[in-house]
Amino acid sequence: MEPKVNEGGLNVTLTIRLLMHGKEVGSIIGKKGETVKKMREESGARINISEGNCPERIVTITGPTDAIFKAFAMIAFKFEEDIDNSMTNSTATSKPPVTLRLVVPASQCGSLIGKGGSKIKEIRESTGAQVQVAGDMLPNSTERAVTISGMPDAIIQCVKQICVVMLESPPKGATIPYRPKPASAPVIFAGGQAYTIQGQYAIPHPDLTKLHQLAMQHTPFTPLGQTTPGFPGMDGNSPASTHELAIPNDLIGCIIGRQGSKINEIRQMSGAQIKIANAAEGSTERQITITGSPANISLAQYLINARLTSEVSGMGPL
């Protein structure tokens, strides 16, 4: 949410980001995009929906504050309509609340919670909406999810109060925005293809297949003039070898990830064992030891380099 105040300070433009599941996004887009078109026209706000076949999408709403509140009201009432429709054939007696998830820079969450939780308590009591600020940041970002649930009117009042807090205390430092990832399902390699498991189906994953093939190119073929036989790709019988890398201390975090999430992902995708040595005193680098078949090692190296490249070039998390 970046406030941009005009000279007169009267017309404040805000950007609010919402995190939604695919089904919710479908409801807002509507048939042939009619619903979102109507929301844009009637509210006067810009509404952008992130691309991608991710289970989660980011909906960005930008405009003067009154346009944003109108767009929010339309979204909240649309979700309530969906709940009403889903209940017509349901035996449930109590109606679930409308729930929206905002994505807020972590540096603003303190102001939103207030000293000893005073601000968030005040917002809950004055609007009647439930508000929860996630304790952890969203993966690979400096943003947190703020979940609001209640009746549409309560949600709209709640969003208004949150916007006021955001305008009074702008984000500090640079914000790394949360970008939803395609379904981070388990990856399996079969017949030179990579597949992700979604529900009961294995879905071909072209990007990972490319990585897999890149790693395999280094191994199965014996260059001319060499007598050593080529290693069979990802075969478990390949002789294990070890490779060492040195990574600068200030970049090791992007390889490890929050609570080891990135390094575990690299281990899982490459099939290699990866050990990161503790920082040696006075050293500016950390040793990484990769053990596995040559194909596993190549894939692990490729993934580590890809992480470093995205970090150094400022392209954000892969």
Side-chain angles (χ1 to χ4, degrees):
M1 309 190 188
E2 304 142 16
K4 299 188 193 74
V5 184
N6 290 351
E7 261 54 349
L10 294 170
N11 182 17
V12 180
T13 300
L14 261 181
T15 296
I16 292 188
R17 286 154 51 79
L18 284 166
L19 189 54
M20 290 193 190
H21 293 301
K23 198 168 140 195
E24 296 168 325
V25 171
S27 165
I28 283 180
I29 295 172
K31 270 191 189 147
K32 296 182 181 169
E34 282 165 16
T35 310
V36 74
K37 184 172 174 237
K38 187 177 169 205
M39 285 180 179
R40 286 177 180 135
E41 285 168 0
E42 290 188 16
S43 69
R46 288 216 317 270
I47 303 173
N48 288 334
I49 296 162
S50 69
E51 291 299 319
N53 53 348
C54 306
E56 292 181 319
R57 307 271 283 278
I58 295 279
V59 177
T60 308
I61 305 173
T62 307
T65 43
D66 57 341
I68 283 182
F69 299 147
K70 270 186 206 156
F72 252 94
M74 293 177 82
I75 290 171
F77 283 114
K78 179 72 181 86
F79 283 177
E80 188 181 44
E81 189 187 306
D82 294 343
I83 292 169
D84 288 341
N85 291 342
S86 70
M87 288 192 68
T88 48
N89 306 321
S90 148
T91 51
T93 46
S94 60
K95 182 171 155 181
V98 172
T99 301
L100 292 175
R101 288 181 299 162
L102 304 183
V103 181
V104 176
S107 59
Q108 291 178 295
C109 286
S111 310
L112 187 55
I113 294 165
K115 205 168 183 179
S118 56
K119 188 69 196 170
I120 201 162
K121 184 169 180 253
E122 181 194 311
I123 294 175
R124 283 180 189 135
E125 286 172 359
S126 63
T127 63
Q130 277 300 316
V131 189
Q132 283 175 319
V133 178
D136 289 333
M137 291 192 220
L138 288 157
N140 305 315
S141 78
T142 56
E143 295 190 303
R144 292 194 201 181
V146 176
T147 307
I148 308 171
S149 55
M151 298 302 287
D153 292 329
I155 284 182
I156 297 155
Q157 290 310 315
C158 186
V159 167
K160 285 185 179 177
Q161 295 208 22
I162 288 173
C163 287
V164 170
V165 174
M166 297 301 145
L167 289 168
E168 286 173 354
S169 46
K172 298 169 196 71
T175 298
I176 301 170
Y178 172 57
R179 293 189 182 94
K181 287 182 112 168
S184 56
V187 178
I188 53 170
F189 293 106
Q193 287 280 331
Y195 297 89
T196 50
I197 307 299
Q198 289 179 18
Q200 298 161 348
Y201 303 100
I203 292 163
H205 204 304
D207 296 344
L208 290 180
T209 302
K210 276 186 218 138
L211 281 185
H212 180 52
Q213 286 163 351
L214 271 168
M216 299 293 277
Q217 280 165 13
H218 301 296
T219 48
F221 308 110
T222 311
L224 289 171
Q226 284 189 13
T227 51
T228 47
F231 292 114
M234 290 287 201
D235 185 354
N237 303 327
S238 305
S241 52
T242 299
H243 183 83
E244 291 202 341
L245 290 172
I247 303 286
N249 282 339
D250 55 348
L251 289 175
I252 199 77
C254 79
I255 306 277
I256 296 173
R258 189 176 176 80
Q259 293 171 339
S261 58
K262 280 285 145 225
I263 194 75
N264 286 338
E265 204 175 276
I266 294 171
R267 284 181 183 124
Q268 185 191 348
M269 282 166 69
S270 67
Q273 288 181 332
I274 305 170
K275 291 197 175 97
I276 298 175
N278 291 331
E281 225 175 294
S283 168
T284 57
E285 294 181 326
R286 298 272 286 275
Q287 255 345 82
I288 295 185
T289 308
I290 309 169
T291 310
S293 73
N296 298 140
I297 290 174
S298 298
L299 187 46
Q301 271 182 280
Y302 183 90
L303 293 166
I304 287 170
N305 286 334
R307 291 281 317 141
L308 291 173
T309 309
S310 75
E311 185 74 12
V312 173
S313 63
M315 282 163 53
L318 279 177

